[in-house]
Amino acid sequence: MNTFTAIPIFVTVVEMGSFSKAAERLGSSKSAVSKRITQLEASLGIRLLHRTTRRLSLTQAGQTYYEGVSQSLALANDARDAVTQQQTQPKGHLRINAPMAFGRLHLAPLIPQFLKVHPLISIEMIMDDKVLDMVKYQFDVAIRIGKLLDSSLIAKKLAPCHSVLCASPQYLKQHGIPDTPKVLSQHNCLFYSYFQAGSEWQFKGKKGTISIQPKGNYQVNNSEALYSALLAGLGICQMPLFIVNEAIKTKQLVPLLTDYALPEHGIYAVYSTRQHIPSKVSTFINFMQQHLQDLT
């Protein structure tokens, strides 16, 4: 058996933590992946993985082997990327992770344009509001909005992300219009569960920054679900302008506390810190920077 061809499979199994998840990532079957690992162990003459019905774990030999081959695989990927940078036309499979609402509203309309210009690139976009591990899920590039977590990833800003506190006219007619951030304690505040800036809302006024802990009867991990709740008159919410801008223009939603500034966040493309950036990644990022720079 050629052990070199089994190395990416072994590394994927370790990073995904199971044969089934590795098979899904590799576009293969669980039985085929398991068979390749068994063949690899037979070829090396040593067991690399402990297998139970619930989980996989590395043996001591498996840990040593993984540390060596994962570094070698990373070097091989760097060499591949260095070569692909010299391509006159970027090509290859691009795996992208993006938040659900932003991906649907702003990336999805642009991707057909991108693929028409770059027909040798194929795209697989996974939209999920949860921040997924880029290495574990093998994403080439991810879109992140808000405060970035400390990591070894490289981030390039695509556009600013302005937020607005708003509610529907019917909610305000029934419950009144708040005139200070502190009055929000008397209102039903809707909250985005995956808010990267923390659990508090911050308002910058003439006398400094005021922080409040929003309280209400609805938290959800999807911005568009909150948007629907706002339109239905359920409460008040802090929302990205790229979601609610049209509803504000048509007066379906009303901006609140406009004398106070909300923190400005950014929309970023993040990617791993390889020595050479694949041309498919840099081309995608440059395209999105160009087309999203005027995003509201």
Side-chain angles (χ1 to χ4, degrees), residues 16-246:
M16 300 304 293
S18 76
F19 288 128
S20 57
K21 290 181 180 178
E24 183 179 351
R25 170 78 278 273
L26 294 166
S28 183
S29 67
K30 178 181 177 181
S31 60
V33 170
S34 178
K35 182 178 179 181
R36 290 300 300 276
I37 299 302
T38 300
Q39 290 173 338
L40 175 62
E41 291 175 323
S43 178
L44 296 172
I46 195 164
R47 182 173 289 277
L48 301 174
L49 295 168
H50 292 300
R51 300 162 173 81
T52 68
T53 55
R54 292 189 175 183
R55 62 189 294 268
L56 294 176
S57 61
L58 287 165
T59 64
Q60 185 174 353
Q63 182 66 44
T64 301
Y65 187 70
Y66 172 73
E67 290 172 358
V69 297
S70 60
Q71 293 177 17
S72 299
L73 186 60
L75 290 173
N77 287 335
D78 279 342
R80 179 199 62 201
D81 295 342
V83 171
T84 58
Q85 277 188 322
Q86 302 174 27
Q87 296 169 350
T88 55
Q89 280 189 288
K91 62 182 177 180
H93 187 66
L94 187 62
R95 187 170 162 84
I96 302 166
N97 174 224
M100 186 69 69
F102 185 80
R104 189 185 70 81
L105 293 172
H106 297 286
L107 289 187
L110 289 174
I111 283 177
Q113 299 178 40
F114 176 80
L115 292 176
K116 286 179 181 178
V117 178
H118 303 286
L120 299 181
I121 293 179
S122 62
I123 284 181
E124 178 184 3
M125 184 163 68
I126 290 82
M127 294 192 290
D128 195 319
D129 284 329
K130 184 180 291 185
V131 177
L132 300 177
D133 187 291
M134 287 194 62
V135 175
K136 179 178 179 181
Y137 293 96
Q138 299 185 19
F139 293 119
D140 295 296
V141 63
I143 306 301
R144 300 283 185 257
I145 301 175
K147 184 178 179 180
L148 296 178
L149 302 176
D150 292 334
S151 74
S152 60
L153 300 175
I154 300 296
K156 286 195 174 182
K157 191 172 183 178
L158 301 178
C161 179
H162 301 286
S163 297
V164 60
L165 192 76
C166 57
S168 70
Q170 58 266 41
Y171 174 87
L172 297 173
K173 183 178 180 180
Q174 184 176 356
H175 299 280
I177 300 175
D179 54 0
T180 67
K182 291 184 179 180
V183 177
L184 291 174
S185 62
Q186 303 171 21
H187 287 269
N188 193 38
C189 296
L190 315 180
F191 192 71
Y192 179 55
S193 305
Y194 290 158
F195 190 47
Q196 292 296 301
S199 60
E200 293 183 332
W201 288 351
Q202 293 187 337
F203 302 85
K204 188 174 181 180
K206 295 178 181 179
K207 296 182 180 181
T209 300
I210 301 172
S211 298
I212 69 119
Q213 181 68 54
K215 294 182 179 180
N217 62 4
Y218 191 34
Q219 292 188 40
V220 64
N221 62 355
N222 181 271
S223 296
E224 290 183 293
L226 286 174
Y227 178 57
S228 297
L230 277 171
L231 293 176
L234 183 61
I236 295 174
C237 191
Q238 185 180 142
M239 292 288 286
L241 203 54
F242 68 76
I243 293 178
V244 299
N245 192 43
E246 287 303 315

